Amino acid sequence: MIFKIDTIKFDTRKKYNFTNLLLVFFFFCSLLFFFESCKRNNIQDIIKKDESKTSFENEATDLPKNDFTDLKKNSFVPFKYNGKYGLMDKNFDVKIEPNYLRIEVYDYCIATENENHEYSVYDNNLNQLYNSPDVYFMEMISEKYCQLRVKSQLSSYVLLNLFDGSTTEMNSHDRLAPGNLESEKYYASNTLSAFVKKDLTTAAFPEIKFGGGGYPFREGKAVAYCYNLNFEPPYSVINESGEQIISGIREVGKYFTEGLLPVIMEDGKSGYINGNREFEIECKFNVFYKGPKDCPRLEYLFYDGIAVVNKFDKDKYAWFLLERNHNFIKLDERYEPTDYEFHNGHLLVKINDGEDAKYAFINKKAEKVFGTDFDYADNFVNGYAVAVLEGRDILISADGNIFDVEKDILK
């Protein structure tokens, strides 16, 4: 009798065929067991290596002991030369040579990233607070803390105290939300408790179940993503006692600014509400998807009496500047804001006109300033903006003066 399996024939009259088949079967099973064992051993070795890996530990030494009450906001200015960033003071004295891929200036610290992608954080006296080759992302948690993400362990974070250089290891479930203020009572966090006390560990409202975390308190109120509302609509506003004071929000901004919060309500009505849930300004927002469902997507917050808004206009969406008196100023159709906030009285826009995009600055009347377009530009920092004009690295002052980096700074 002959059995045909695909194109292979086995003759049952020859018993040794079955014996050989069994031998081959056991041989392949042995090979599979061997490779799986090697794989498991390799994984265990990797785990051991990861457990012993300490490259994200702080390598800075002689950490300063700063007093939060004495520390002042810095006035340093980043500049760019030949594609690398440096740092200077207001007197144009170079403090850090232009050798860095990035230099970010915050109110109470400066962060640098070098060519080897090593990240360092300095206080406002340029004392090094943190140095590690194994962090790649930083966000400001409050005036007192910044949070850095670890490259080798993507669910790990380092919380850095900017005033004494101390660090706390955090996992993704413990990390804090950026944008908190020390003047507010609680920190917003990514934990299910959503808000924690200033000791960083104690839940502010342990009796309340939140879903996607909380967003920073402003003016004594905070936005929270609440799963005890069955996700529809997902957002609520709470007060400092944890009481729900506004509900029924489908889309929302991160927090109140200047007494107003951009929202889209459950019934589709959209605009800015005050703390009493009253609509002060109505407009049909365009919602940009930038993250998961539980992430606020209305970035149109008020700063210094004006908000940058993308809203429906006639038959399409367009960009506007919205004043507190409810006046909308339409931007040139070619202009696309690079930010939702003015810096030193100027808003940086990208000009979409042809293949080669240019950059320009506009004022609060949507008028282009400085009389020219730039090949590249950054936002203003402490009164100056990095830019490239006709291939030259320059700095622009807020009053419109242009300085050549090579001639005026690196002289």
Side-chain angles (χ1 to χ4, degrees), residues 210-277:
F210 297 96
Y215 303 92
F217 268 88
R218 289 290 192 279
E219 304 167 8
K221 299 177 285 293
V223 173
Y225 188 84
C226 305
Y227 68 70
N228 58 341
L229 298 179
N230 298 319
F231 294 98
E232 281 298 334
Y235 296 105
S236 292
V237 176
I238 64 171
N239 61 20
E240 289 182 334
S241 300
E243 300 167 335
Q244 181 181 332
I245 58 175
I246 301 175
S247 61
I249 304 174
R250 193 173 66 195
E251 297 289 352
V252 68
K254 290 182 291 187
Y255 36 68
F256 278 85
T257 58
E258 301 182 10
L260 297 177
L261 178 70
V263 298
I264 299 177
M265 303 303 289
E266 185 177 15
D267 60 6
K269 190 175 181 180
S270 67
Y272 293 86
I273 60 172
N274 58 29
N276 297 320
R277 204 182 185 276

Side-chain angles (χ1 to χ4, degrees), residues 1 44 85 104 126 129 166 193 256 266 358 369 391 403:
M1 182 173 61
Q44 291 301 318
Y85 283 90
E104 299 169 1
L126 296 182
L129 295 174
S166 61
S193 60
F256 278 85
E266 185 177 15
K358 296 285 186 177
V369 295
F403 301 91

Side-chain angles (χ1 to χ4, degrees), residues 348-362:
L348 177 61
V349 296
K350 184 178 180 180
I351 304 175
N352 298 307
D353 189 10
E355 294 183 0
D356 297 326
K358 296 285 186 177
Y359 294 83
F361 293 92
I362 62 174

Side-chain angles (χ1 to χ4, degrees), residues 267-394:
D267 60 6
K269 190 175 181 180
S270 67
Y272 293 86
I273 60 172
N274 58 29
N276 297 320
R277 204 182 185 276
E278 300 166 337
F279 272 87
E280 292 198 11
I281 304 174
E282 292 187 37
C283 63
K284 188 176 180 180
F285 292 126
N286 188 8
V287 180
F288 293 106
Y289 185 78
K290 289 189 175 181
K293 182 179 178 182
D294 60 343
C295 177
R297 294 182 280 177
L298 299 182
E299 300 282 353
Y300 316 125
L301 306 180
F302 270 95
Y303 297 102
D304 296 325
I306 200 161
V308 180
V309 177
N310 192 272
K311 76 178 189 72
F312 195 76
D313 179 55
K314 297 178 182 177
D315 59 345
K316 61 182 179 180
Y317 286 99
W319 286 102
F320 291 82
L321 303 182
L322 172 58
E323 299 174 325
R324 280 303 299 265
N325 62 5
H326 304 192
N327 182 43
F328 287 91
I329 305 173
K330 189 175 182 179
L331 270 59
D332 186 307
E333 291 185 354
R334 300 171 302 155
Y335 293 174
E336 179 185 352
T338 65
D339 201 354
Y340 294 93
E341 183 178 356
F342 280 75
H343 299 268
N344 292 126
H346 302 92
L347 180 69
L348 177 61
V349 296
K350 184 178 180 180
I351 304 175
N352 298 307
D353 189 10
E355 294 183 0
D356 297 326
K358 296 285 186 177
Y359 294 83
F361 293 92
I362 62 174
N363 60 22
K364 292 185 178 181
K365 297 299 180 183
E367 301 164 336
K368 187 168 72 172
V369 295
F370 308 137
T372 187
D373 300 336
F374 301 95
D375 304 327
Y376 172 82
D378 286 338
N379 282 318
F380 274 85
V381 176
N382 290 327
Y384 295 88
V386 166
V388 177
L389 178 62
E390 297 177 351
R392 293 183 300 127
D393 292 305
I394 64 170

